[in-house]
Amino acid sequence: MKIHDIIYGLLLFFCFGVVGCEDMHDVSVPSDTAAVVPDGETAGLYVLNEGLFNLNNSTLARYSYRDGSLSTNYFSSINKRGLGDTANDMQLYGSKLYLVVNVSSDVEVVDFSTGKSLKQIPLLADNGSSRQPRYIAFAKGYAYVCSFDGTVAKIDTASLKVENVIKVGRNPDGICSANGKLYVSNSGGLDMGGVGVDHTVSVIDLSTFKEIKKITVGPDPGKIVASDDGGVYVVTRGENINKGDYHLVAINTTTDEVEKTYDEKVLNFAICDDIAYMYQYDYATSSSSIKVFNLKTGTTVRDKFITDGTVVKTPYAISVNPYTGNVYISDAFDYMTSGDLLCFNPQGVLQFRIKNIGLNPNTILFTDKVTAGTGGSTSGGFDYAYADTVFEYCPAPCQYMNTSTTAYKEGYTMADILKNATASIKNGSTLTLGAFGGYIVVGFNHTVKHVPGSYDFKVSGNSYISMYDTKTGKPGGSAEPGIVWVSQDTNGNGLPDDEWYELAGSEYGKSTETRDYTITYYRPSPTNGDVKWTDNKGNSGYVYRNEFHTQSSYYPAWMPDEMSFNGTRLADNAVNEGENGTPYWVGYCYDWGYADNYPNSAEQSQFKIDWAVDANGNKVNLSGIDFVKITTAVNQSCGWMGEISTEVLGVQDLHYTK
């Protein structure tokens, strides 16, 4: 799996929700969430979890203060599908909840009372490439979404249609509404041209939806928030985000000029009346702190917000409950495991902790209305149109090895892995197959019927399209194709021990595939080294480590010291399209017939049993199938962005009826 840009990854690590506040209220301190946790008149709490970049495992969690129930897969349990890839922002406007999903490049609109999806609004350029939406703001019946491609989109909240799109500065990384205008922070943090970061905030007149001014605020502006008194505050992060040259800038929304620049080390913040709870991160020491700052007087109230000794390892989101004034902070831990949500009173004393809320919880929202799901469970319901059992799961070495995306926890055996993988496939969570040869075998609780000429089942992955080849028109993005096999339970024992048949995709029989390809991986010594491989063609190479994933080993902890895979290898599909020495890898899609090759919304994510062939390439006629096997089919390393590895989120019977 690949990460496309260092700064992009850093930006995704810090996405903070901001709200206002009202009266203060103290609560008791339960040890966990076994009992109902009160917090004033608050009825519910929603947490958006971005998951991991390019793994399509964003989730929406919901906690009920009325009955103490926690649904960590609230959206997927109601809508029977995943939320998408790298959800960045969540806001409530009227009766609808809006979720901005960056890599999937859409805005998910949800009916707030029921949790049901109303519409996915795609945010794509004219050529079909992703705009990479980032944050959302609202005013006078419209939603406004800033995107990394340098645009702001205007969406009618009644029709849920995009009415207009305008250009602003480079790589907008924040948006808010104040005094009849929109304010958009132009970061320039993703610019591939080497021209440096942006320094401006765009001002857009709401009545005309035109940019009327750019305010110079400082290098790399990010989080931007409108205060209750009509002011706007924006963080600037310096020419190099790693060096932490942060400042807080106040903008006068009458004159649209910088009113004051505070020499405060702040990366993100939440405002309550005149008080800002400000988060700072020091990349040099990998340390963080949260302080209390009075915006009206420009003075520090308290250098350390937390006063009771509670340790938050990796603060990730910060927000204030508008009904109580309590401050909520999420802890992302190591970014690879499920995070916690902690509630503190304004004095910095821990009130309670909600454990395992989700992977990289970045936005927090509160409601005083009772909505659907108050009696929900941690896993939600399951739709048996989907495969419900993982019979085999053997991922090859990769940068996500020994994390939740490989169903692993420390000390797990193969039996534990299978149990956890089954839970993941039911929840629509991402399972990584790793480098070439890694595979998964799943089964249904019923037979998937073969309907001649029709698509019979669908494999959900996390592929997206970001561009098209200018010469061929071929779509590209994060395609990481896997070959799909099917089997019918002819002996009736409920196990995948009958003959397997490959589904012949678009490359079957072409020079773009190498059949009978065998690769062997070796456990590294020391364990945190690159993973060596050799193949039966006389080649050797490595699954290389990178700076983004620092777990102890990229080799599966529960497997023997050597592991071999045999199958068909597809030709490398990723191309470095970077310019000026900056790598930018694009995985181009094969035409059809492969998993994790096209987005889940595309026809090419569906499969026909008609495509099944035997070992000699002869077409076979199956009345139905009971098992599906998926294997990573490309052996390619994309520089520091990692290996090609197929991901699977679920397998769906397209003919299923209850």
Side-chain angles (χ1 to χ4, degrees), residues 340-600:
D340 291 354
L341 184 65
L342 294 80
C343 172
F344 295 87
N345 67 17
Q347 291 72 44
V349 177
L350 181 67
Q351 306 298 286
F352 59 86
R353 177 193 295 262
I354 302 177
K355 298 179 180 179
N356 299 317
I357 197 74
L359 186 60
N360 296 326
N362 66 19
T363 311
I364 307 162
L365 185 147
F366 306 89
T367 180
D368 61 348
K369 297 178 175 61
V370 177
T371 56
T374 53
S377 66
T378 58
S379 60
F382 178 73
D383 187 338
Y384 283 100
Y386 292 81
D388 66 342
T389 303
V390 176
F391 288 93
E392 297 179 44
Y393 178 49
C394 189
C398 66
Q399 62 186 300
Y400 290 103
M401 187 54 63
N402 302 319
T403 70
S404 60
T405 58
T406 54
Y408 180 77
K409 290 184 180 180
E410 187 174 358
Y412 265 23
T413 64
M414 178 60 81
D416 297 323
I417 294 289
L418 288 177
K419 182 178 179 181
N420 204 20
T422 292
S424 293
I425 209 77
K426 283 187 174 183
N427 286 334
S429 300
T430 301
L431 287 172
T432 300
L433 303 189
F436 176 84
Y439 69 91
I440 189 170
V441 175
V442 300
F444 294 83
N445 73 343
H446 62 279
T447 297
V448 179
K449 296 179 181 178
H450 170 212
V451 177
S454 297
Y455 290 108
D456 299 302
F457 66 94
K458 174 179 179 177
V459 178
S460 295
N462 67 353
S463 180
Y464 65 86
I465 293 173
S466 60
M467 63 180 293
Y468 291 80
D469 186 275
T470 55
K471 295 180 180 179
T472 66
K474 182 180 285 291
S478 67
E480 300 180 290
I483 291 176
V484 179
W485 301 72
V486 295
S487 180
Q488 190 172 33
D489 188 18
T490 54
N491 63 16
N493 67 354
L495 298 174
D497 55 3
D498 296 284
E499 187 170 357
W500 284 100
Y501 302 99
E502 181 179 347
L503 296 189
S506 60
E507 308 311 296
Y508 187 85
K510 295 182 181 179
S511 60
T512 48
E513 64 172 13
T514 302
R515 306 196 73 79
D516 197 25
Y517 180 77
T518 300
I519 192 169
T520 301
Y521 299 96
Y522 306 89
R523 188 185 303 277
S525 180
T527 58
N528 64 351
D530 298 328
V531 179
K532 183 179 180 179
W533 59 263
T534 59
D535 66 19
N536 61 345
K537 305 298 180 182
N539 303 309
S540 64
Y542 290 88
V543 175
Y544 292 100
R545 293 181 65 85
N546 59 55
E547 62 185 290
F548 301 103
H549 302 100
T550 58
Q551 68 270 30
S552 60
S553 180
Y554 284 13
Y555 193 94
W558 66 95
M559 294 297 290
D561 291 344
E562 293 185 16
M563 50 192 310
S564 296
F565 300 91
N566 177 267
T568 297
R569 174 183 173 179
L570 296 178
D572 294 353
N573 70 309
V575 177
N576 184 0
E577 300 285 10
E579 299 177 353
N580 301 318
T582 302
Y584 184 82
W585 289 85
V586 177
Y588 285 98
C589 308
Y590 283 117
D591 289 343
W592 53 271
Y594 302 98
D596 199 23
N597 182 50
Y598 268 83
N600 297 332

